[in-house]
Amino acid sequence: MTEDSPKFARLGEDARRAALINAALTLMAEGGPAAATVRAIAQKAGVTPGLIRHYFSSKQDLTRAAYQAMMSEMTEANLAASGQAGRPEDRLALFIASSLRPPVADARSLGLWAGFLHQVRHDPQMRAVHKATYLQYRDLLQTLIAALPRQAGAAQLR
């Protein structure tokens, strides 16, 4: 190996998959979807391009996994912020507020989200990922709303 050759590391399957997803997200954030080529993702993740096929059936499959990971990470950040409050009203307020500020709503995340939304319109499988991650967010929001103290005569929450 020459000094310019990449240094490959042995990682477990989950760690390698996460490294590929993170590499794809980083490249998309830096240069848009066109920058996230298989070769560039492999180089960023420190693997050979052929190894990507071991974890993902296609580049589109990797892109869908990256979108799912990003959306789940954003929802988890909202949930973590809401856990810092004791009263249900405060938990709900923190959950919503965290959706509008970093790390959930920063330039990188919003740029990636906008790029992925374009793909949601044209790819049924990406649309399914979008629906599943949105339902995860909505279910958490619904749980926080349901925990609010009910006023006398208030309608049942859904």
Side-chain angles (χ1 to χ4, degrees):
M1 263 191 196
T2 67
E3 286 185 33
D4 295 333
S5 296
K7 306 292 187 262
F8 300 106
R10 292 199 185 274
L11 297 175
E13 202 162 306
D14 290 341
R16 180 68 71 203
R17 187 174 169 80
L20 291 167
I21 288 170
N22 288 333
L25 287 170
T26 298
L27 289 164
M28 285 185 236
E30 291 172 354
T37 64
V38 170
R39 187 172 304 281
I41 293 167
Q43 183 176 10
K44 186 77 129 171
V47 301
T48 63
L51 190 62
I52 292 175
R53 282 291 269 198
H54 176 73
Y55 294 98
F56 301 98
S57 61
S58 65
K59 182 183 170 201
Q60 290 78 17
D61 187 35
L62 171 55
T63 301
R64 291 179 197 113
Y67 180 54
Q68 191 278 327
M70 184 192 80
M71 295 305 292
S72 293
E73 188 177 295
M74 291 169 78
T75 300
E76 290 298 320
N78 289 337
L79 188 59
S82 70
Q84 299 172 6
R87 296 182 333 142
E89 299 91 337
D90 297 334
R91 282 194 298 276
L92 177 60
L94 284 172
F95 185 85
I96 293 169
S98 71
S99 297
L100 304 171
R101 62 179 174 235
V104 176
D106 59 14
R108 178 183 188 272
S109 296
L110 292 176
L112 283 167
W113 182 71
F116 283 126
L117 281 184
H118 177 73
Q119 295 176 31
V120 166
R121 293 178 53 205
H122 302 288
D123 179 354
Q125 291 175 314
M126 185 69 96
R127 204 167 18 260
V129 171
H130 178 75
K131 181 178 180 180
T133 56
Y134 173 71
L135 289 176
Q136 177 188 23
Y137 176 86
R138 192 194 70 185
D139 289 348
L140 288 171
L141 185 59
Q142 184 174 329
T143 300
L144 291 168
I145 292 169
L148 293 172
R150 297 226 169 98
Q151 303 297 323
Q156 184 161 351
L157 299 174
R158 171 170 152 57

